[in-house]
Amino acid sequence: MNPCVFIIFSLLLLLTETTTANQLVAVGGGGGDDDDKGVVNKCTDKERHALLDFKVSIQDPNGHLYTWKAEEDDCCKWFGVTCNNETGHVTELELWHSGLGGKISHSLLNLSNLNHLQLSFNSFHGPIPTFIGSMTQLRYLDLSDNGFNGIIPASLGSLTELSYLDLSHNSLYGTIPPEFGNLTNLEELLLGYVGRCRVENLEWISHLSYLQHLEMDEISMSKANNWVNVVLGLRKLSHLSLQGCELSQVMDPYSSFVKSSSSIEILDLRNNNLTSSMYTWLFPLTNNKLRFLLLSSNTLDGIPKYLGNLCSLEVFRFENNSAIVNLPDFLNNLSGCTSVTLQWLSASGSQFTGSLPDEIQNFSNLGYLCLSHNYLNGTISEKVWELPKLETLDVSFNNLRGAISVNIGNSKVSIIDLSKNSLEGVPSIDPMSNLSYAEAIDLSSCNLGPQFPKWIQNLKHLTRLDISNTRISDTIPLDFWDTWPSRLHYFNLSSNNISGKVSDLSSNFDFGSVIDLSSNNFYGPIPNVSSTVASLNLSRNKFYGGISFLCQIVDGFLQVLDLSHNFLTGELPDCLWNFKQLKVLNLGHNNLSGRIPTSVESLIKLKVLYLYDNNFSGELPMSLKNCTSLNSLNLGGNKFSGNVPVWIGENLLGLYVLILRSNNFFGTMPLQLCQLENLQILDLSINNLHGTIPSCLNNLTSMVQEGFTQVQDLQYDYSSYFHLGRDGVAYADHAVVEWLGDEREFINNLRLLKSIDLSSNNLTGQIPYEITNLYELIALNLSGNALRGEIPRNMGLMKKLLALDLSRNNLSGDIPSSMSQMSLLDYIDVSCNNLAGRIPSSTQLQSFEPSRYDGNIGLCGPPLITKCPGDEEDEVPSVIGKSKGDGEGLDEFWVWFYIGGGAGIATGFWISCGALLFNRVLDIMWCFTF
């Protein structure tokens, strides 16, 4: 062979072997000790250690990072970690909604190839680390929905590769860094609800030429002049959200000399206190690409006609505008091509007037129409039922009147809410029975009665039915209860006069459903209940028999159970371990008896326990202390005995209502009750307690500080979590309380009621002066005890007291002069003591009946006829006219309670006061009786 040929052939063979070897290495081939060196899709040791350092610096209570272990050498397999398949470098951390907390470690800087960092919906706190600005490879950064505070670091402006930045829903403050203008590759910038931040000049945004999505909700833009011009310069911007940005304070939002066409498809300007003058600068922001326009929560008194020419508009929201708007004029201004494309129109909670006119027929693509909570009057046009695509109609809470059109039967509407109007005469036969599409009907507070509307049974697709308070006084057909097998999610027949037996509640209801049959005349045993029910309210009926049916609900989802005000008997069954989701248990005002079963310890989520006015007996079980979520505990009117447990104050620290009145408790008041900082209603009256009143009661912080937020939080929890409906009982703000000698039900106003009632016990010693530090207390009743000593000199500091009863004790000394400052006092009784001296002069103290001071031989001065030494011989006229003690001064009190929705209590309050006044002679006799 030619030597040259041999040499060339050998070189080609060597080249082929080298190439093959390299290919094997690239796919992880090779052998021997060098195998690991050939695998390039494993993360490097440096980056693995960086991730482990990151884990050490944070909290992971849910254990999401359990795969991040030092002994696991390939971090590319760890939860939330993504690597480059070729280089093995970590490129993405996706740890959103993982329950992580603490502070972010500098070790992330060692992930030099990281381009995607997603840490949203966690609990990270402290300032946003400035070192993140050095992670210049990042193209995606999401730190939203955490607890970050402090200012936004300007160093984030160095992340010039970013296309997505989300800092929303944190607690930041200060100015949005103008360095964000360096982020010229940004496509989405989300700063909504970032905290108390502001922008004074939007010029930096003009550099973000690729920006498509911009959210700056709740950021003050009050000084951002010409912001409209800046926005118009963003040619690719399609989504702009500026909720709550104080836009009404901007002096010059737009210069008319700059003309640009907008590309915006979604425009959100809600909650800016805008008036109709804004329509001059809104015009250039609108175009035929606009699909969503949100103008809610402003002060707009109408809309301009040019909004009727938006030929792509699909959703228009105009809720909660505080100016008067005529609905026919409003619809007329939308009557251009907008009326053809519009699919969603919502204007609830505003001040719309007029009727629902025939012009509604022009909106042929409308699928959702909500005009609830307005001032509409007149009738509903029959044309609304002819809209071919309408699925939801809500005109509840208006002043619409007359009969519902018979043409409703031709409609394809699946959700109908006509509640809280004066509509009546709903046909009882065919017209509404043709609503084959109907899935939800709310006719509450309309006049459907007196017969039960049998047409409802023909609506086979119903998932929600509310015909509460509709003046029905009839029985229900037995086959009615079998109409919707496993479909109903909300079923409300409450506040009618419906009678008869309830045959079955186990077949119709979907998972997590709500049943409300309260305030009717249903009778008989309680039937079987499905395990799928979340809320069951059968209160204020005539059900009788036991409640052993509870033991048939196995592994149920029940969260609210109200069987109060019936005629139920027997014991509370010991199967409560089935109800680990239960949050409200109300069995009050029945004839139940026996002991509280030990299985109550399973109710770890229980917030409200009402067993008042029954015949329960025995000591309170220790197992009840496991119910550490309790907020309201009412065991009054039973036969419980033993000591008031110390564990109430040690374990039930969330209590804001504690009522143990009218039982057989004995012993002393445990000092541990003073640890209940949230307590605002304490009632231990009519028991056999002895000893002194603890001086530490001034530790009950809620009775010292103004306001109370816990009730509002719980109302939100129950109304949203259990779908109790607008008129469902807000159990978190509901208690039955002894008020001036009569039992009253307080609903939606507990935040105003702060009271202590220790009356009718055997308490001794002095009234502790510390009690006068409870500045927010409105009712204090210490009557019917054996208290001695003087009334605390600083009693007058309790200026918000409306009712004070110290009668039937052994108090001595005078009435402190400071009490003349108690200008809100509308009820006082210090009778049957050993008080002496002049009654202090004030408009209040002289206005009460003399009987409120009887039984104190040494008292003198008005309103008593006994003169004090040194008084002139001339007769001093007593108070002229009706006394405030007779109730005239209650106006201010009831103004407070009307604000909280307490109108229903007013009648009872007057009755109780009247009864007390009518029997004032008996007050004197009580001195001898006790």
Side-chain angles (χ1 to χ4, degrees), residues 809-824:
N809 280 286
N810 296 315
L811 299 174
S812 57
D814 59 0
I815 297 177
S817 60
S818 66
M819 291 181 62
S820 62
Q821 305 172 23
M822 302 171 74
S823 59
L824 298 180

Side-chain angles (χ1 to χ4, degrees), residues 254-269:
Y254 172 63
S255 173
S256 59
F257 297 105
V258 179
K259 294 186 177 180
S260 301
S261 59
S262 172
S263 58
I264 297 176
E265 297 181 19
I266 300 174
L267 180 58
D268 189 346
L269 300 175

Side-chain angles (χ1 to χ4, degrees), residues 170-186:
N170 279 290
S171 301
L172 305 166
Y173 61 86
T175 303
I176 304 298
E179 288 82 358
F180 278 10
N182 298 330
L183 307 178
T184 53
N185 287 305
L186 267 186

Side-chain angles (χ1 to χ4, degrees), residues 35 38 87 92 108 120 166 191 203 214 231 241 280 335 379 434 441 475 626 629 688 695 703 831 865 922 924:
D35 282 355
T87 66
E92 296 186 11
L108 290 184
S120 65
D166 189 351
L191 302 175
E203 182 61 28
L214 175 61
V231 167
S241 183
T280 57
S335 61
T379 58
N434 293 328
I441 290 183
T475 58
N626 290 337
S629 296
N688 297 308
S695 60
M703 298 186 186
S831 62
I865 59 174
L922 295 179
I924 303 173

